[in-house]
């Protein structure tokens, strides 16, 4: 079974999606992310991936009020990411309703801080964001590419206590062209105990079924839902079968 985790990306308090992480290629799908979150919950989703894109760009938490409203207005288990760079950012995120946080750029640029979060909060609450472009880890809201190859990077953090990883292939994100199944197969072959959350490229239910067949335990879906490539009815039926 594979868990479907809907995504809500936030800019200026609105629900948006970017294409290939490009802030200049932004589509606004809803003025109120809480309305979207409630629709996902009504379709049987238990989890939500909430990304503060303003925070990712400005390197500190920005849209925590959106997090608070969704946490108070639904029963969704929220993992929150985007711009979390300090202990204070984490305190704000958890106090405003995040069940987990995702750290990406911080894990590359300030690994001592990220390791401290793992030690303080535990692997159940800290997710590694390992987003990649052409096999290299990307940072700063996907604006910058690092010199880190994705598999050694994730392997190293698994030795440090990480067991959940969200990996987005930026080249397919928002393109509705299919997920990077070969990348995820390679990652799971190297790290079979990894709770890998695939992200990017999902265009229809058959992509989710292909990821499930490849052994991927969870997938984040955004644009395919907003563009009605995956209907809320399909989402509801799939979630019912998973119970």
């Amino acid at each position: 079974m594979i868990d479907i985790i809907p995504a809500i990306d936030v800019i200026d308090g609105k629900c948006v999606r970017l294409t290939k992480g490009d802030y200049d290629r932004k589509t606004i799908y809803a003025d109120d992310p809480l309305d979207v979150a409630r629709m996902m919950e009504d379709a049987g989703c238990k989890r939500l991936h909430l990304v503060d894109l303003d925070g990712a760009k400005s390197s500190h938490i920005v849209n925590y009020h959106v997090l608070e409203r969704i946490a108070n207005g639904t029963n969704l288990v929220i993992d929150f990411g985007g711009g979390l760079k300090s202990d204070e950012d984490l305190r704000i995120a958890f106090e405003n309703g995040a069940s987990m946080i995702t750290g990406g750029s911080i894990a590359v640029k300030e690994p001592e801080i990220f390791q401290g979060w793992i030690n303080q909060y535990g692997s159940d609450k800290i997710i590694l964001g390992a987003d990649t472009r052409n096999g290299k880890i990307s940072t700063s809201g996907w604006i910058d590419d690092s010199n880190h190859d994705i598999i050694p990077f994730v392997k190293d953090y698994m030795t440090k206590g990480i067991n959940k990883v969200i990996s987005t292939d930026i080249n397919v994100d928002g393109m509705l062209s299919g997920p990077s199944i070969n990348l995820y197969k390679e990652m799971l072959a190297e790290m079979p105990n990894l709770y890998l959350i695939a992200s990017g490229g999902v265009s229809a239910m058959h992509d989710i079924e292909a990821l499930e067949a490849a052994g991927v335990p969870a997938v984040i879906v955004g644009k395919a839902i907003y563009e009605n490539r995956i209907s809320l009815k399909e989402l509801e039926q799939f979630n019912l079968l998973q119970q």
Side-chain angles (χ1 to χ4, degrees):
M1 294 190 299
I2 187 170
D3 293 325
I4 297 178
I5 306 171
I8 293 178
D9 295 353
V10 180
I11 292 179
D12 295 331
K14 295 179 171 60
C15 176
V16 309
R17 294 299 289 175
L18 306 182
T19 298
K20 291 187 177 182
D22 187 345
Y23 282 74
D24 292 327
R25 300 171 70 187
K26 175 183 72 177
T27 303
I28 298 173
Y29 286 102
D31 287 335
D32 190 348
L34 176 56
D35 291 341
V36 178
R38 284 173 169 162
M39 285 192 297
M40 303 304 183
E41 185 174 38
D42 288 344
C45 295
K46 307 297 184 186
R47 291 270 307 274
L48 177 67
H49 179 62
L50 183 62
V51 181
D52 181 359
L53 288 175
D54 291 314
K57 204 168 187 179
S58 58
S59 296
H60 62 84
I61 192 169
V62 174
N63 286 293
Y64 56 89
H65 292 302
V66 175
L67 167 63
E68 181 185 34
R69 290 185 67 238
I70 293 175
N72 290 335
T74 72
N75 292 311
L76 293 166
V77 175
I78 303 168
D79 79 72
F80 183 82
L84 302 176
K85 296 291 185 289
S86 66
D87 295 343
E88 178 68 5
D89 285 332
L90 255 67
R91 182 190 68 77
I92 293 169
F94 284 126
E95 284 187 358
N96 283 278
S99 298
M100 293 166 271
I101 67 92
T102 301
S105 299
I106 189 77
V108 176
K109 296 182 175 181
E110 297 186 76
E112 298 85 2
I113 293 177
F114 190 66
Q115 183 66 57
W117 296 349
I118 299 169
N119 296 342
Q120 180 177 355
Y121 293 100
S123 59
D124 286 343
K125 288 186 172 293
I126 306 296
I127 302 171
L128 174 64
D131 299 335
T132 180
R133 182 165 28 224
N134 302 323
K136 301 290 186 181
I137 295 292
S138 291
T139 62
S140 304
W142 301 349
I143 295 169
D144 301 322
D145 293 332
S146 75
N147 292 320
H148 293 280
D149 292 318
I150 183 169
I151 288 177
F153 179 77
V154 174
K155 271 187 171 180
D156 181 57
Y157 267 111
M158 287 190 75
T159 68
K160 297 173 180 176
I162 282 293
N163 57 36
K164 298 184 183 73
V165 172
I166 296 172
S167 183
T168 304
D169 184 339
I170 297 164
N171 287 329
V172 302
D173 186 68
M175 298 301 291
L176 299 172
S177 58
S180 294
I181 291 176
N182 288 336
L183 169 66
Y184 301 134
K185 283 182 176 179
E186 186 178 356
M187 291 176 71
L188 290 171
E190 293 279 345
M191 299 167 284
N193 295 322
L194 178 67
Y195 185 82
L196 175 61
I197 305 168
S199 176
V202 170
S203 66
M205 289 303 302
H206 64 78
D207 287 328
I208 294 173
E209 291 161 1
L211 287 165
E212 184 174 33
V216 176
V219 57
I220 290 170
V221 184
K223 192 170 186 178
I225 296 173
Y226 299 124
E227 297 282 344
N228 204 33
R229 302 291 190 93
I230 296 175
S231 69
L232 291 174
K233 189 64 178 177
E234 284 180 299
L235 199 58
E236 182 178 11
Q237 290 171 344
F238 185 89
N239 286 326
L240 283 171
L241 290 173
Q242 302 298 300
Q243 294 178 1

